[in-house]
Every structure is written in C-alpha cells, then in structure tokens.
Amino acid sequence: MAISSTARHDAIAAAARLFDRQGYHGTGLAQILAESGAPRGSFYFHFPGGKAQLGVEAVHAAAAEVESLMRATAEKHPSPAEMVVSLAQALGRWLERADYSEGCAVAAVTVGTGDNVALRAACRDAYAGWQELVRAQFVAGGVEVSRAGALSTLAISALEGAVILCRAQRCTEPLDQVAVELADLLAAVSLGQ
Amino acid sequence: MAISSTARHDAIAAAARLFDRQGYHGTGLAQILAESGAPRGSFYFHFPGGKAQLGVEAVHAAAAEVESLMRATAEKHPSPAEMVVSLAQALGRWLERADYSEGCAVAAVTVGTGDNVALRAACRDAYAGWQELVRAQFVAGGVEVSRAGALSTLAISALEGAVILCRAQRCTEPLDQVAVELADLLAAVSLGQ
C-alpha cells in the first residue's frame, strides 16, 4: 500500500503549491491527495502526522529548492551584487511562469500558521538557512563580517517582500527595482570595488 | 436589522485579523460573524458581495491603517532615514503586541488569493498607495527624484519581508537589522547629508 518515493515527493510538491496558492488553512487534505494522486491509506503510511507533517515537509522542500537556487547562483556569480541581481531575475522568471499565482511557500505558511509550533519552526529554520547562506556568500565576496548578517537579512527580506508586491501587481517591476538598489548598495560595501 | 456602522467596522476589523492569522481561504464567514458579533442577516445587508466584498474592505482598512501610521511617522520624522527606522519600530511593537500571530493583512490576502481579481486589485492599490506616499516623503527629504521610486519599493518590500521573518523567528531582529541598513542607505542618498 506504500506510495512510492516519487508519489511521496509528488504529495509534498502538491502541498507546497497549494499552500502557496491558497494558504495552509485554506488547503484541505482531500485536495492535496487529489492533486498528487495518492490514495488516502498510503498517505497516512508516509505522513502519520497528517497535514501538519506534510506542511513541515513542504516547507523543508521549498527551503531546499531556494537554497539550491542560491548555491547555483552564488557559484556562477560570486560577487554579492551580481548574485542578488541574478537571484531576483530567477525569482521573477518563476513568478512569470506561475502567472503570479505562486510565490514563496515558506512565506505562505508563515503567514497564517502562527499557532502551529512545528510549522513555525520549519519556517524559522528555512529563513535562518537562507540568511546564513547569503551571509557567508557576502563575506566571501568582500562584505565586512560585522555587516554581512544585517545585509543578508535586508536582501532576503527585500526579495521576499518584493515577490509579494509582484504578485499583487502582476509584474516583476518591484523585484527589478529592489535588485538594482540592493546591487548598488552591495557593490559599494564590498571591499575592493 | 441593519448593523450599526460600529458593527460594520467590527466585522471588517475581525476579518482583517482572521485573514492575517489564518489566511483568506482558511477563514470562514461563520467565524468572522462569531468574532464580530454581527448576525448573518444584517451582514448580507452591509456586505451583499459576501466574504469577497469583506475581503476587499478588510484590505482597504488595513491599507488605510498603515497609511495613517506612515503619515504620522513622516510628520514626526521628515528625514527619510529616521522615518524608516521609526516605521520599523512601530511595526516591531505591533508584532510584539500580537505575539507575532498577526502581521500585514495585505500580504496575507495577496498570498493565496491570486484567483480573485477584486482582492488582488485591492492589494495592488494598497501597495501602490504606500509606495507613492513613501516616494513623495523621500523626495521631500532630499532623495533624488529619479531614484526615490526604486528606494521606496526597496523600503516597503524590505519592511514587508522583515515582518514575515519576524513572525517566523518570533523576534524583531530582522526588522531591526533592515532598519539599520535602510537608514544607512537613505542617509547616504539624501541630499545635504
């Protein structure tokens, strides 16, 4: 009765997509099962904690996907300014492909699940992971260690917020504007520029 | 049977609070009515468009509340850097008072209601109003006109994103860090500083 690891992955991906489109509380288990094609019995075999467990795994999956994007971007663009611009462009393409109906599943779960300790912890860890990754990349790119943490928080907050503005405005202009200003700032504070 | 304008206001405030805590799709009309104390009959008298109309009015109310805060802050702190720091502090106090379970109702409605044209338009207009208000204040405070629009988008995106990070982390540190970096940037680009 066990669903395959592909089906398990499909359930997590469907959950992340639906939470992102209509919120965690607005998404029922029946809809997740229908979208992922998993039968209910095997679902509880893989997710004994039900929807809350699936929520945590969906946040982990979304966090890992963004982390991969960040690592790939940093490898291609070691300069902090160029990294942030490339990241913003990738997020803009993602929004366009989803016709602005999906953004960041971590933000979608954070907003509206404050009462669930496990979900909130998953979101907290997701942001902490991104912040540390970007901070380390900024330091490697010449930003002063004492300031890299705050600049990393600024970059992630600004990109996260801009994704929401883009969804409301159905265009990538907020991300484009944020990228230009962040790049300017990062170029100025990176040593040797 | 008509509910009073106070009860009407209460229904809108309850809706904004609930959308913010558990998402638009995760909030049923019955819960909004229970929280606001309005009977169902008089509810439809005031909100013939049902929950969707209430959603639009809740976004308008949340937008107006933030606009009032922005105007009051700008009046007290005309300098762009000080205005942004004061705004971030006010948002931090708001988060603490709500024990991090409420943030920005406009963001909460934007995330997860992409399929509703009227709701999305209300969110778009809310962001556009804030962007223009902050942009004008930046110009009045000495920021170059050509750059004030992008910097306004950066400030609003960063504050909006930082509110979400604060909710996930249950502390105001992301807002504090964003405020310091934005203030530094704005002080540098404001003429005469």
Side-chain angles (χ1 to χ4, degrees):
Chain A
M1 266 292 277
I3 53 180
S4 68
S5 68
T6 307
R8 190 176 191 286
H9 172 269
D10 288 350
I12 293 170
R17 202 165 52 242
L18 289 167
F19 296 157
D20 204 5
R21 283 179 178 259
Q22 57 198 34
Y24 176 80
H25 283 299
T27 303
L29 199 50
Q31 193 182 3
I32 298 169
L33 293 175
E35 284 239 348
S36 69
R40 188 172 282 263
S42 62
F43 173 83
Y44 279 106
F45 176 83
H46 279 280
F47 303 100
K51 186 176 141 187
Q53 184 190 348
L54 188 59
V56 168
E57 301 210 25
V59 169
H60 288 164
E65 192 180 355
V66 173
E67 262 197 48
S68 292
L69 171 66
M70 283 176 172
R71 283 188 203 284
T73 307
E75 200 167 312
K76 206 168 167 187
H77 305 282
S79 131
E82 287 174 21
M83 179 197 170
V84 165
V85 169
S86 174
L87 209 51
Q89 288 170 342
L91 293 172
R93 287 193 298 272
W94 166 263
L95 283 167
E96 284 178 333
R97 268 200 306 272
D99 196 26
Y100 299 96
S101 62
E102 291 170 31
C104 172
V106 181
V109 172
T110 300
V111 174
T113 53
D115 49 347
N116 186 307
V117 175
L119 280 171
R120 198 201 286 248
C123 294
R124 179 198 63 209
D125 293 348
Y127 287 121
W130 299 347
Q131 282 171 294
E132 176 49 27
L133 198 153
V134 171
R135 192 201 64 80
Q137 192 59 30
F138 282 1
V139 171
V143 175
E144 271 182 56
V145 172
S146 62
R147 214 174 148 185
L151 283 167
S152 158
T153 302
L154 174 67
I156 288 165
S157 297
L159 293 174
E160 190 72 293
V163 163
I164 296 177
L165 267 69
C166 288
R167 286 180 73 171
Q169 300 178 2
R170 290 185 67 80
C171 69
T172 61
E173 197 187 4
L175 266 172
D176 298 340
Q177 290 182 315
V178 160
V180 167
E181 287 299 334
L182 285 178
D184 218 53
L185 171 60
L186 287 166
V189 301
S190 302
L191 298 175
Q193 305 231 8
Chain B
M1 266 294 276
I3 52 179
S4 68
S5 67
T6 306
R8 189 176 193 285
H9 171 269
D10 288 349
I12 293 170
R17 203 164 52 241
L18 288 167
F19 295 158
D20 204 5
R21 283 178 177 260
Q22 57 197 34
Y24 176 81
H25 283 298
T27 303
L29 198 50
Q31 194 182 4
I32 298 169
L33 293 175
E35 285 239 348
S36 69
R40 188 172 284 262
S42 63
F43 173 84
Y44 278 106
F45 176 82
H46 278 281
F47 303 101
K51 186 176 140 186
Q53 185 190 346
L54 189 58
V56 168
E57 300 211 24
V59 169
H60 288 164
E65 193 181 353
V66 172
E67 260 195 51
S68 291
L69 171 67
M70 284 175 170
R71 282 187 205 283
T73 307
E75 200 166 311
K76 206 169 166 187
H77 305 282
S79 132
E82 287 174 19
M83 179 196 169
V84 164
V85 170
S86 175
L87 210 50
Q89 288 170 342
L91 294 172
R93 285 193 298 273
W94 166 264
L95 284 167
E96 283 178 332
R97 269 201 305 273
D99 196 25
Y100 300 96
S101 61
E102 292 168 31
C104 172
V106 181
V109 173
T110 300
V111 173
T113 53
D115 48 347
N116 185 306
V117 175
L119 280 172
R120 197 202 286 249
C123 294
R124 179 198 63 210
D125 293 348
Y127 287 122
W130 300 346
Q131 282 171 296
E132 176 49 27
L133 198 154
V134 171
R135 191 201 66 79
Q137 192 59 29
F138 282 0
V139 170
V143 175
E144 271 182 56
V145 172
S146 63
R147 214 175 149 184
L151 283 167
S152 159
T153 302
L154 173 67
I156 286 164
S157 297
L159 292 174
E160 190 73 294
V163 163
I164 296 176
L165 267 69
C166 288
R167 287 180 73 170
Q169 299 179 3
R170 291 185 67 79
C171 69
T172 61
E173 198 186 2
L175 267 172
D176 299 339
Q177 289 182 317
V178 159
V180 167
E181 287 300 333
L182 284 178
D184 218 55
L185 171 60
L186 288 165
V189 300
S190 301
L191 297 175
Q193 306 229 11

